[in-house]
Structure formats: C-alpha cells, structure tokens
Amino acid sequence: MNAKIGRNEACACGSGRKYKKCCGRPEAVVAPSRPRPVPVPSGVPQLFKLLQAGRHAELERAARALLATEANSGILWKLLGVALHAQRRDAFEALENAAQLLPEDAEAQTNFGNALRARMRLAEAADRHRRAIAVNPRYAEAHNNLGSVLQDLGDLAAAAASYRRACALKPQLALAHHNLGFALRELGQAPEAVGAHRRALALAPDFAEAHVQLGNTLRALGRLEEAVASYRRALLIEPEHAGALLNQADSLLALGQFAAAAGHYRRLLPLRPDAAEVHGNLGHALRGMGELEAAHDAYRRSLELRPQAAEMHNNLGNALLDLGRFEAAEASYRAALERNPDSARTHNNLGTVLRELGRLEEAEASFARSLELEPACADVLTNLAIVQRLLGRAGEAEEALRRALELDPRAVPAAVVQADLAADRGEFAGAETLYRQAFAHDGDSAAAWSGIVATRRMSRADAAWYAQAEELARRPRSARDAAPLHFAMGKYLDDIGDYDRAFARYTEANELVKSYRPPHDRQQLASAFEFFRELYDAEWLAAARAEAPLEHRPVFIVGMPRSGTSLAEQILAAHPAVYGAGELPFWKNASPRVTAASVESGPDAALLGALAAEYDALLATLAGGKRVVVDKMPVNFAHLGAIHAALPGARIIHMRRHPLDTCLSIYFQNFHVAHTYSNDLDDLAHYYEEYRRLMSHWLAVLPPEAVLEVPYEALVAEPQIWSRRMVEFAGLPWDEACLEFQEVSRAVRTFSRWQVRQKISAGSVERWRRYAAHVGPLRRLDPALPPT
C-alpha cells in the first residue's frame, strides 16, 4: 500500500478537494460485498482474495488484465474502483462504469454517489443515492450518504431525516449517529446533538471526528470544560487532528488557561503555518500569559499573512499598547479603522491609547464614536467616564457610569470608577462602601478590593481585609491584574508598621509591573534632558518671548511626583480667587512643537503666542470665572523653557522633598506606564539625578522672580509661613482659608487624595528611615548618607 496521505493533502481521486473532505470521509470508503447474481468472469474469486488480503496494487493489475477482455463486467470495474481508492488514486471512472453496468447493485450506486459528491456534483450524487435506496430501501449506508449530500445542499431537515432513517435501519452504524448530531447542532438542537454524538462514540470509542464534533456541540452550549475533555480524547486518538487542536486551543483560551492554549496553538502551527487566525489567537494566549513581546511577534506574523485585515491591525495595536509603545499602537488602530471605520471596539481601543498619550479630548471623541456604533456597551461608557474624570468633568463621568450600570448593574469596572469619583470628592466612607459592593458583585476583582486601602489609614483591625487580599493574590491572574493588589497589601503593612514585610510586597508589586511594561531607557532620558539644557539656554530665552495679553494667571507647581505638589495645590485652591485644575497635560503635548520649531529655525514667537492663547482658552473652560489657575502637572519641570517663553508672567512653584522620601513614595505607588523609572530603585535614582540637573539649569537661566522653591519639609513644619509665601508669590492677598485646605470641597485625582484632606502632619518626613535597610541605590542621592 502507498504511504498514508495527510488529511489536508490533495485527494488522489483527482477531485481537487482535500483528502479529509473527499475520499478520506468515512462514507466515501468503498466497501464492496459479493456481487449480485450476474455473469462473473473467471478469476474474480481470486480478486476477492487479493482484496481481503489488502494487496491493492496486485488487485489493480489483475482487474485491469481481466478488463482487457471483459470490458463490460460491472464487478471488475467495481473491484478496480476499490483498488484505486485504497491506493488514494482517482477511482471516478471505474466507479462510474460500475454504476452504469450494475444498475441493480445498490452498493455500486451509492459508491458512485460518493464519488460525485467528492467532485461537488451534488444533485447527481443525491440521485445515485436515491437509486441505491430504490434498489434496497433498507440499505442504511445509502440513507446516511444521501443525508450527507442533502446537508451539503443546505437542506438540514431532510438530511436529519435521512440520518434518522439510517440509524433506525442500522443502530450500530456509528457514522449515521455522528452525522445526525452534526445536522441537529446546525438546526439549533444542540442538546439532542450531544445525545447523537454520544451514541456514535458508544459504538466507536476511537472515532476521533465524533469526539471533535461532540466537543464543538458542547462548546456551543457553553460547556467548555466538557468540550475540552472531548477534544483531549480526540487528540489521544489522532494527535495531529487540526480541528481538535484548533478547537481545544480556542476553548482553553476562552477558559483563561493561556499557557495550555498557547501550547495547542504551537502544535497546530506546523499543520497550518499560514493561518493568520492561529497566529493571532496564539498572540491572545501569550498576551494573557504576560509574554508581551512574544504576543507582539505573533500578532505581527498574523498581520504579515493578512495585511488588509482590520482585526490583525487592531490586535497588533493591543500588543503595542501593552508594551507602552503608544504612538505605534495609535498607528495600528488607525490602520485598522482605515480598513473598518465602523468597528466600535477599535474606536474604543484608540480612545484608550489616546488617553495614555494624554490627549484626553481626542480620547473622549473616540469613545463617543464607539458609543455611536454600539450604544449599549458598559465597558466603553466606563472608559468615557474615566476620561471625563481626568478632564475634571465629574458630573458627566457620573452620568456615563449611571448609564453603564443601567446596562449592566454588575459591571464591576464601572462600579470601581464610581468609587474612585467618590474618593476624589473626599467621600472616603462612601467610596469604601462602593468598593466593597463592587467586590460583592465579583469576588475576584483585585481592583475593587485594592481600592479600599486608598480610602483611609488601615489598622490591625483590618486583618480580614489582608487575609482576603492574600487569598486573591494566590489565584491565577495576569501580572497587570495582580500588581495593584500587591501595592495595596504593601500599603496595609506600611500603615500597621510592618515595614520589612511592606517593602517585600512593594518589591513584588514593582517586579510584576516591570514584567509587562517597557524598560526604562536611561540613555534616552539623559540625552533628552541634556538636549533641553543645550537648546533652552539664556540666549534662547532672551530671544523667545510671547507678549499676548491673557485672561488668566497660571501658577505651575512642578517637581518630582510625590514631592508635595498636591498639598501645595490644595493650599492654593483653598483661596477663593484660585481654581485648582489638577494635572493638565497641555504642555507635555505642546512643548515638542516648540522644540521642533526651535531646532528648525530658532524661537517662533508666533507659535508661542498661539500656544499661550490656546492654553488660556483651556483654562477658561475650567476655571469658572476665577483668574488664577493652578496647573500642578509635576513633569512640567521638563518643559519650563517653553512654558516661560509662552507665558512669561506665569509663576512656577518648585516643590522639593528629601530625595529618598520622594523616590520611596514613588516606588510605593502603581504609577502610569509613562513613568517607566518608577519600578526600579536604580532607575529611580538615575531619574532623580537627571531631574535635579535639569532643575538646576532652569534656576540658572529663568528670572529669579519666576520661580519659588518650596521645601516640603519646611512647608509641613511651618505651614503658615510657607503658605503665605506661595499665596503672595501667586500675586494674591492672604486668606486664612488656605490654612484650612483640608476642608476644601474639590476633586483630587492623585494618589495623595486622602492625605491632602488631612491636617498637615510631619509623619511623612524622613519616612525613608523606616526602610533604611532596603533603600540601596537611593542612598547616593543624599551626600550626607554613607553608602551601604
């Protein structure tokens, strides 16, 4: 016999179809019985012996030799057809001749019907099977084969009737039960289909395809664990069954068993190396495992195979978003939308990356477009609310969340953002209640359970909270989902004074974040800050100056994150003439335009004037008629050259805090992905050194009256003195309300939202000493400290 033909190879019968779709189908197997009483050429008994012995090549030669003199012998053509089919060769002519010469042979008719079906001549095939049934109405195989043709023709009800007749005539015919199950599933009768497949497998336990189709039916019913078991049995029988591998992998992916799913996709790829969807799904599994670079590579391969597929561009965008490559992710999402502009999901994803880029108005527009296409989507409404919260439009955010929770009262992400908004307003008891309610809806929500620790100082009375957090941390979950939980556990341990264990939790949290974020590029940072120092020198600042009259007087509070910027803003915002705008991303986005223009042709007064007017217009939309507006985006320290040139009358408050307290406080928070330095003590030390060098440059080149340096430690030690200095620096008369800043009713959307609503305390001063055994590379930031 010839070597076995692969299921996905071209069928040897010449039909042009894959073997598994043609002669490899069980019903296509020619299984002749002894012929009906017709004239039989001498030598035919010997041919049957060769057939029974499986000597098909010899059978072919012997049948052809006899046909040379007995060309009108139907039995010889029938036997030749058997021999050719067994050798995976074209048997069509032989089977056709047999059917014509043996019109009363039901087997010859149905065998030729199978050959016609393999060539997609379906109407003729159905006619041949009906002839077989007319000759022998109790011929179960012919009823089964007719059912297959009717199914191909789309007449599922008639196909099911034929299969049922076959099962009734021959209850032991496993193939008929299997085919009936397939038809019933297509007819929407999945529970009945399960029974049919199980009857087939009771008769033929090693019927791999029946295990696969049973799995598919169970999957359609949502019984994924049972489906996985069926696919597993199919693969034990036929390890390279592509359908079983694909469906098993897809089911495992749906169950969140990402590593197992990835393993099956990898087994499948040698069988289907050019299947873009398989590469894409492998990317989904790898992404779920946190193997982001590998997921990126899988998505890129799927895109190479289907470059015009919008879904592939969208998937690649997701991987790039995970990796923090936001500009590249935006390009991928826009490429997806060029190919499918009406994809609500892609508009949502684009909104997410625009939010990460700080382009909040554009993000809001993308989420709004997604909702136009799919209005009843709680997830997109939640994303819209997050952006509106960041834009300071809490009322609109609350309305979006209300709609999201109407659509899905158990939408935990929406409930968590609702709790965040309550905490922003200082309603911490209510926020804790909302977090707990969200957790009650989804007892696996790390986000809901983690949020509780930000509402107050924890105590040993909250031991039950910590026990639940430990239990959640032991469950399988992605690094992205687990990290906030470990940060929260670190905060609990810090609150109760268990500092060594707290630092261990914080370290674990940061290592989890590092596993899915891009690494910090120290060289790129150092080069960028050096470029700023060289470009924005005293000569440039003297030549670049916008003089456009402005309606508002901005006060910028800059410095390292966690250096007291939120406290300074809260003090100023307590003044009745001041609006605290929070962290506005305007100059982070505008400064590159100033830099590019300056590199090209020097300071551009027109551009600076335009940016000043644009910024002033933004403040007008926020300030509610107040003329003095505080912008406390800490990273604006990097853009002070452009800011001062565009807004020479602006005031800049630089918050300074002990470097070890600053860096440890950053290390203890789950910062935005843009803060790539925040998860490693060495990176933190390097970033702080570069920040300090750049600030020294600004203090040397900016006018002394433009900048006020405020030491955090002095502010908390002498709040009245330093609060007065800040208010006077802003050009305002003193107001006693600034000393009662904790009473101010305003939204605070930073990690400090709980602290800034407490009376000033020195409890955070020299906090680093509690962790002195762990600060390691940070010690070099304080020359007074000996190295470890």
Side-chain angles (χ1 to χ4, degrees), residues 260-441:
H264 282 78
Y265 287 128
R266 284 178 169 135
R267 285 174 59 188
L268 179 60
L269 278 173
L271 303 175
R272 296 186 178 177
D274 296 330
E277 291 80 3
V278 176
H279 288 280
N281 287 347
L282 173 59
H284 296 333
L286 292 167
R287 187 179 177 214
M289 294 165 64
E291 295 186 14
L292 301 183
E293 287 290 355
H296 168 271
D297 293 344
Y299 288 140
R300 187 164 291 284
R301 177 59 181 149
S302 72
L303 184 59
E304 289 170 356
L305 292 165
R306 290 186 59 194
Q308 295 305 314
E311 183 67 17
M312 304 307 172
H313 286 279
N314 181 75
N315 290 343
L316 182 59
N318 291 340
L320 291 164
L321 175 62
D322 289 342
L323 289 165
R325 301 173 193 168
F326 300 135
E327 290 81 3
E330 179 189 358
S332 285
Y333 291 138
R334 293 198 185 281
L337 290 171
E338 286 176 7
R339 291 158 176 81
N340 181 11
D342 293 332
S343 170
R345 178 171 55 173
T346 306
H347 282 289
N348 178 53
N349 291 340
L350 177 60
T352 300
V353 78
L354 290 169
R355 182 180 70 209
E356 295 294 336
L357 286 166
R359 290 152 58 186
L360 300 181
E361 291 83 1
E362 293 177 69
E364 184 178 27
S366 287
F367 292 135
R369 177 59 181 147
S370 181
L371 287 168
E372 287 176 10
L373 295 163
E374 192 176 321
C377 185
D379 287 343
V380 181
L381 283 163
T382 302
N383 285 336
L384 177 63
I386 292 170
V387 167
Q388 290 169 334
R389 174 190 174 216
L390 293 173
L391 286 167
R393 304 207 307 270
E396 293 175 57
E398 290 279 11
E399 173 60 21
L401 293 172
R402 184 191 63 77
R403 290 165 55 201
L405 290 166
E406 283 178 355
L407 290 167
D408 181 3
R410 302 175 70 87
V412 171
V416 170
V417 178
Q418 194 175 53
D420 291 340
L421 282 165
D424 290 347
R425 296 191 298 269
E427 300 168 4
F428 296 113
E432 179 173 353
T433 298
L434 289 170
Y435 286 128
R436 289 187 181 276
Q437 287 174 351
F439 187 73
H441 287 319

Side-chain angles (χ1 to χ4, degrees), residues 76-424:
L76 288 177
W77 285 112
K78 187 175 179 181
L79 286 166
L80 177 60
V82 173
L84 292 168
H85 177 81
Q87 297 176 83
R88 315 295 200 266
R89 294 170 62 191
D90 185 4
F92 187 86
E93 182 185 5
L95 295 174
E96 182 179 27
N97 288 338
Q100 290 175 347
L101 292 167
L102 300 171
E104 297 303 312
D105 187 327
E107 189 177 76
Q109 299 305 314
T110 202
N111 284 344
F112 183 44
N114 289 338
L116 287 163
R117 180 186 175 214
R119 296 195 175 194
M120 295 305 293
R121 292 162 60 177
L122 299 179
E124 297 171 75
D127 181 63
R128 288 292 170 172
H129 293 312
R130 288 189 177 105
R131 291 189 196 184
I133 292 168
V135 172
N136 181 4
R138 299 189 61 78
Y139 189 6
E141 285 82 355
H143 285 282
N144 176 69
N145 293 344
L146 175 59
S148 296
V149 176
L150 293 170
Q151 186 167 319
D152 290 344
L153 288 166
D155 192 346
L156 291 171
S162 287
Y163 294 141
R164 289 187 191 281
R165 180 61 177 154
C167 293
L169 289 168
K170 193 172 183 180
Q172 70 273 27
L173 185 58
L175 182 60
H177 292 285
H178 164 71
N179 287 341
L180 175 60
F182 190 94
L184 289 171
R185 185 176 81 235
E186 295 300 303
L187 286 165
Q189 301 173 35
E192 295 85 350
V194 169
H197 287 307
R198 292 200 189 283
R199 287 190 290 276
L201 288 166
L203 295 164
D206 291 338
F207 191 172
E209 187 64 24
H211 284 291
V212 173
Q213 294 304 329
L214 173 60
N216 291 346
T217 306
L218 292 166
R219 224 176 129 199
L221 289 167
R223 293 156 61 179
L224 292 180
E225 295 283 2
E226 295 175 76
V228 165
S230 286
Y231 298 136
R232 185 180 297 118
R233 283 190 284 272
L235 290 168
L236 289 172
I237 299 162
E238 192 174 332
E240 293 190 350
H241 192 298
L245 284 168
L246 176 61
N247 292 320
Q248 176 79 311
D250 288 348
S251 298
L252 291 166
L253 183 64
L255 286 166
Q257 298 179 30
F258 301 120
H264 282 78
Y265 287 128
R266 284 178 169 135
R267 285 174 59 188
L268 179 60
L269 278 173
L271 303 175
R272 296 186 178 177
D274 296 330
E277 291 80 3
V278 176
H279 288 280
N281 287 347
L282 173 59
H284 296 333
L286 292 167
R287 187 179 177 214
M289 294 165 64
E291 295 186 14
L292 301 183
E293 287 290 355
H296 168 271
D297 293 344
Y299 288 140
R300 187 164 291 284
R301 177 59 181 149
S302 72
L303 184 59
E304 289 170 356
L305 292 165
R306 290 186 59 194
Q308 295 305 314
E311 183 67 17
M312 304 307 172
H313 286 279
N314 181 75
N315 290 343
L316 182 59
N318 291 340
L320 291 164
L321 175 62
D322 289 342
L323 289 165
R325 301 173 193 168
F326 300 135
E327 290 81 3
E330 179 189 358
S332 285
Y333 291 138
R334 293 198 185 281
L337 290 171
E338 286 176 7
R339 291 158 176 81
N340 181 11
D342 293 332
S343 170
R345 178 171 55 173
T346 306
H347 282 289
N348 178 53
N349 291 340
L350 177 60
T352 300
V353 78
L354 290 169
R355 182 180 70 209
E356 295 294 336
L357 286 166
R359 290 152 58 186
L360 300 181
E361 291 83 1
E362 293 177 69
E364 184 178 27
S366 287
F367 292 135
R369 177 59 181 147
S370 181
L371 287 168
E372 287 176 10
L373 295 163
E374 192 176 321
C377 185
D379 287 343
V380 181
L381 283 163
T382 302
N383 285 336
L384 177 63
I386 292 170
V387 167
Q388 290 169 334
R389 174 190 174 216
L390 293 173
L391 286 167
R393 304 207 307 270
E396 293 175 57
E398 290 279 11
E399 173 60 21
L401 293 172
R402 184 191 63 77
R403 290 165 55 201
L405 290 166
E406 283 178 355
L407 290 167
D408 181 3
R410 302 175 70 87
V412 171
V416 170
V417 178
Q418 194 175 53
D420 291 340
L421 282 165
D424 290 347

Side-chain angles (χ1 to χ4, degrees), residues 692-706:
R692 190 156 53 186
R693 289 180 67 198
L694 185 57
M695 276 309 307
S696 295
H697 170 75
W698 297 132
L699 293 171
V701 298
L702 293 176
E705 67 274 11

